[in-house]
């Protein structure tokens, strides 16, 4: 019986006068029940005898006898109900109502003392709550200081490594340039020596041979043709064809760029490492996101568990809700937020077109509109041609080395950042930086069907895997 009684609402066991569990309950002819002492005091203060609850007036005062069944049930409930701290107002009522005075009045000084006592208790509780809050703030500040220190140390480590790598790369570039210069100098010196040898040989041949000079004259005194023939012994066949020998005057084109490109690859590797670590820390801000069916475009079908949405290419029979998209096949998350940090993931799989991100709660959902931050959209999209874009104005083309199958969305409302990650690899994809002033909602669009090639649903993931 006790277990059955505990299932009933507490209001069935409360006197409407003292608002506590019945003590010696009596039931009057109208059917309402009260504590015997509460009803007697109530009728003692009023000339007419009427029900305090329904106000029914009785010509003669009813005979009052304790309702034994209700009394037993109330006593059993009093023993089984959960304990809770006393209500200060109820404490005051009972102290006043049960104080034995012949004329049912209480000395004013006693009343003031009692009220002061309750106020002191309340103030002490407020003081304790604030002292505890101070301790929590101090503890949080210590944790924050540790976090700051950890970040500083990590930044020193990362940037020192990069600076050392850049200095090493720079020294390698300079050394390579200097070595190439020395090689070119040695080559030119060798060529100069060869040229000098051939010049000496030619001079020697010139002095030892007898050149034959033929002069042919025509009838004009002004024009003469002179042909000088030098015997073949003066031009040895082993002499080099110097017309093909050149020296580059700008030999180091692209050297610095290639070195910097290599350095950028190293930086990219380090950025990806930091991104993976960053995503692991972001996971603690994971929230449960459910899709809002009343916002879904009529072409969209939202699953019963509110975790999946697909394009059906067939208008659903849905009410014309003012929050529903009526032109573009979009749907919003039911949850909204205006502070703090939130993270969720969307499984996109092998779909060839989709959009997802976060939007301002007050965005336009009717007719045509441009998806961009100025209009309250901070979203990432995959176009049917395979191009990933951030929906900025104009759009930002994104070059991803790995096509994500699951995209993580992280929003830091206070800092004004909406970031996207490849959830499998932990690689950062893109971050919007803005100032948020309105409540924000998750946003997804499964894209068009494309002849059934894009029929798979988008799935809001409530779990995530470790990287």
């Amino acid at each position: 019986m006790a277990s059955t009684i505990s299932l009933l609402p507490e209001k069935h066991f409360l006197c409407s006068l003292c608002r506590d569990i019945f003590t010696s309950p009596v039931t009057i002819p109208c059917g309402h029940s009260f504590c015997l002492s509460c009803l007697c005091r109530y009728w003692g203060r009023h000339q007419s005898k009427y029900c305090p609850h329904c106000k029914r007036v009785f010509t003669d005062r009813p005979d009052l006898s304790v309702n034994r069944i209700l009394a037993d049930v109330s006593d059993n409930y009093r023993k089984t109900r959960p304990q809770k701290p006393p209500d200060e107002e109820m404490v005051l009522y009972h102290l006043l109502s049960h104080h034995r005075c012949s004329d049912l009045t209480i000395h004013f000084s006693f009343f003031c003392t009692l009220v002061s006592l309750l106020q002191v208790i309340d103030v002490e509780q407020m003081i304790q709550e604030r002292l505890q809050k101070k301790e929590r703030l101090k503890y949080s500040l210590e944790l924050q200081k540790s976090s700051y220190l950890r970040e500083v140390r990590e930044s020193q480590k990362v940037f020192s490594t990069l600076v050392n790598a850049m200095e090493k790369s720079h020294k390698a570039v300079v050394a390579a340039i200097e070595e190439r210069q020395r090689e070119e100098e040695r080559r030119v010196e060798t060529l100069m020596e060869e040229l000098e040898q051939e010049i000496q040989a030619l001079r020697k041949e010139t002095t030892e041979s007898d050149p034959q000079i033929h002069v042919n004259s025509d009838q004009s005194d002004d024009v003469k043709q002179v042909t000088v023939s030098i015997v073949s012994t003066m031009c040895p066949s082993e002499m080099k064809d110097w017309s093909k020998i050149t020296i580059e005057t700008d030999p180091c084109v692209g050297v610095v760029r290639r070195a910097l490109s290599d350095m950028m690859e190293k930086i990219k590797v380090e950025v990806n490492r930091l991104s993976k670590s960053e995503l692991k820390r972001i996971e603690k801000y994971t929230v449960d996101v459910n899709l809002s069916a009343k916002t879904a475009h009529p072409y969209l079908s939202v699953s019963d568990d509110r975790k999946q949405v697909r394009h059906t290419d067939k208008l659903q029979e849905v009410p014309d809700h003012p929050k529903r998209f009526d032109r573009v096949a979009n749907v919003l998350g039911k949850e909204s937020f205006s502070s703090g940090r939130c993270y969720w993931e969307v499984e996109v799989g092998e779909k060839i077109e989709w959009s997802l991100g976060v939007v301002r709660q007050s965005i336009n959902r009717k007719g045509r509109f441009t998806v961009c931050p100025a209009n309250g959209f901070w979203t990432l999209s995959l176009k049917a041609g395979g191009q990933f874009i951030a929906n900025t104005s104009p759009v930002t083309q994104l070059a991803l080395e790995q096509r994500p199958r699951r995209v993580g969305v992280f929003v830091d409302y206070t800092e004004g950042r909406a970031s996207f990650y490849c959830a499998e690899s932990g690689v950062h994809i893109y971050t919007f930086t803005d100032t948020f002033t309105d409540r924000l909602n998750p946003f997804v669009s499964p894209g068009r069907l494309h002849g059934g090639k894009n029929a798979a649903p988008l799935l809001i993931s409530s779990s995530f895997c470790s990287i």
Side-chain angles (χ1 to χ4, degrees):
M1 177 179 177
S3 60
T4 304
I5 292 173
S6 64
L7 298 176
L8 295 174
E10 188 174 75
K11 65 180 181 180
H12 295 299
F13 307 98
L14 299 182
C15 170
S16 60
L17 292 175
C18 66
R19 290 180 290 176
D20 200 0
I21 297 176
F22 289 117
T23 301
S24 300
V26 294
T27 303
I28 56 180
C30 63
H32 294 111
S33 301
F34 308 92
C35 295
L36 176 60
S37 58
C38 294
L39 186 60
C40 289
R41 280 191 296 274
Y42 184 84
W43 281 350
R45 296 195 297 270
H46 299 82
Q47 294 181 352
S48 299
K49 302 298 182 283
Y50 59 87
C51 175
H53 186 76
C54 66
K55 307 303 180 185
R56 176 180 171 181
V57 179
F58 305 107
T59 305
D60 298 320
R61 173 173 171 165
D63 293 329
L64 300 178
S65 59
V66 176
N67 186 334
R68 296 298 177 187
I69 296 177
L70 182 57
D72 291 342
V73 172
S74 299
D75 288 340
N76 285 329
Y77 180 77
R78 182 182 287 105
K79 296 175 182 177
T80 59
R81 76 167 180 172
Q83 295 296 320
K84 58 182 181 180
D87 188 329
E88 293 174 0
E89 185 178 351
M90 292 303 302
V91 172
L92 177 60
Y93 176 83
H94 282 290
L95 286 174
L96 295 177
S97 61
H98 293 89
H99 187 71
R100 299 299 180 183
C101 295
S102 59
D103 56 356
L104 298 177
T105 61
I106 300 176
H107 293 296
F108 182 71
S109 59
F110 172 75
F111 176 79
C112 293
T113 302
L114 192 57
V115 171
S116 299
L117 177 60
L118 293 176
Q119 289 177 342
V120 169
I121 294 174
D122 186 56
V123 170
E124 285 297 326
Q125 181 179 357
M126 293 173 66
I127 291 174
Q128 290 301 318
E129 289 174 352
R130 281 154 178 77
L131 288 173
Q132 293 175 2
K133 186 64 176 180
K134 283 181 62 179
E135 291 301 316
R136 287 195 294 270
L137 288 174
K138 287 170 62 177
Y139 179 68
S140 298
L141 183 60
E142 290 301 319
L143 292 179
Q144 193 180 72
K145 288 180 179 178
S146 298
S147 177
Y148 285 141
L149 183 59
R150 183 174 62 251
E151 290 297 323
V152 169
R153 289 174 176 172
E154 178 69 12
S155 68
Q156 288 175 338
K157 178 181 177 181
V158 170
F159 282 95
S160 294
T161 301
L162 290 176
V163 168
N164 291 335
M166 292 183 72
E167 290 179 347
K168 184 177 180 180
S169 179
H170 180 229
K171 290 179 179 178
V173 168
V174 172
I177 292 173
E178 292 176 345
E179 177 59 28
R180 185 164 182 175
Q181 180 182 4
R182 286 191 292 269
E183 289 178 357
E184 286 298 308
E185 289 176 349
R186 287 194 293 268
R187 175 171 173 262
V188 170
E189 288 178 0
T190 301
L191 292 175
M192 295 287 284
E193 290 176 358
E194 291 180 4
L195 281 169
E196 185 61 29
Q197 290 175 1
E198 292 192 4
I199 290 172
Q200 294 299 330
L202 288 171
R203 284 176 176 171
K204 183 178 180 182
E205 288 292 335
T206 302
T207 57
E208 292 179 353
S209 63
D210 181 21
Q212 299 177 358
I213 301 176
H214 304 278
V215 179
N216 297 323
S217 302
D218 57 6
Q219 296 177 354
S220 174
D221 296 332
D222 299 327
V223 180
K224 292 183 180 180
Q225 183 179 17
V226 179
T227 302
V228 179
S229 299
I230 303 177
V231 293
S232 59
T233 55
M234 296 180 59
C235 298
S237 59
E238 64 270 13
M239 287 192 176
K240 188 176 293 186
D241 183 4
W242 290 96
S243 64
K244 298 179 180 180
I245 305 299
T246 59
I247 298 296
E248 293 293 343
T249 58
D250 198 2
C252 296
V253 173
V255 172
V256 176
R257 179 193 56 76
R258 289 192 296 271
L260 187 58
S261 180
D262 293 341
M263 194 68 234
M264 291 295 290
E265 287 298 320
K266 295 179 181 178
I267 293 176
K268 187 175 182 180
V269 171
E270 186 64 20
V271 169
N272 288 342
R273 184 190 69 80
L274 291 173
S275 179
K276 293 177 183 180
S277 174
E278 179 181 303
L279 187 56
K280 276 188 168 292
R281 294 163 64 184
I282 286 173
E283 287 176 352
K284 67 180 179 182
Y285 299 105
T286 298
V287 295
D288 186 28
V289 172
N290 298 279
L291 299 175
S292 173
K294 66 183 179 183
T295 67
H297 185 277
Y299 273 132
L300 299 183
S301 174
V302 178
S303 62
D304 292 338
D305 63 1
R306 299 293 187 265
K307 296 296 184 182
Q308 299 184 42
V309 59
R310 68 173 70 243
H311 197 296
T312 64
D313 206 24
K314 180 181 178 181
L315 290 175
Q316 310 291 306
E317 294 184 1
V318 293
D320 184 17
H321 198 281
K323 294 184 178 181
R324 189 181 303 282
F325 289 94
D326 69 351
R327 188 176 181 87
V328 185
N330 302 330
V331 61
L332 300 185
K334 180 180 179 182
E335 292 75 19
S336 65
F337 35 88
S338 59
S339 62
R341 296 172 170 177
C342 301
Y343 176 75
W344 64 94
E345 293 179 358
V346 181
E347 189 170 330
V348 299
E350 298 296 331
K351 288 179 67 64
I352 61 174
E353 184 178 77
W354 48 259
S355 293
L356 57 90
V358 63
V359 299
R360 199 163 50 217
Q361 193 175 64
S362 59
I363 58 169
N364 179 27
R365 308 178 194 193
K366 309 296 182 181
R368 298 179 63 88
F369 51 83
T370 301
V371 176
C372 65
N375 291 334
F377 292 80
W378 296 272
T379 59
L380 188 75
S381 296
L382 170 62
K383 295 301 182 182
Q387 179 62 54
F388 290 90
I389 64 170
N391 290 299
T392 53
S393 184
V395 298
T396 301
Q397 305 285 341
L398 303 174
L400 304 186
E401 293 183 356
Q402 177 180 342
R403 178 170 177 162
R405 294 179 54 86
R406 196 168 64 256
V407 179
V409 185
F410 175 61
V411 178
D412 189 329
Y413 192 98
T414 305
E415 296 294 328
R417 287 197 291 266
S419 301
F420 299 85
Y421 297 82
C422 175
E424 305 102 293
S425 65
V427 173
H428 172 259
I429 299 174
Y430 188 80
T431 290
F432 290 91
T433 302
D434 212 326
T435 300
F436 302 136
T437 57
D438 195 0
R439 297 190 70 86
L440 303 178
N441 286 75
F443 165 94
V444 294
S445 175
R448 296 163 294 175
L449 283 177
H450 292 285
K453 296 179 181 179
N454 198 43
L458 285 178
L459 171 65
I460 307 295
S461 177
S462 58
S463 61
F464 45 84
C465 65
S466 298
I467 301 168

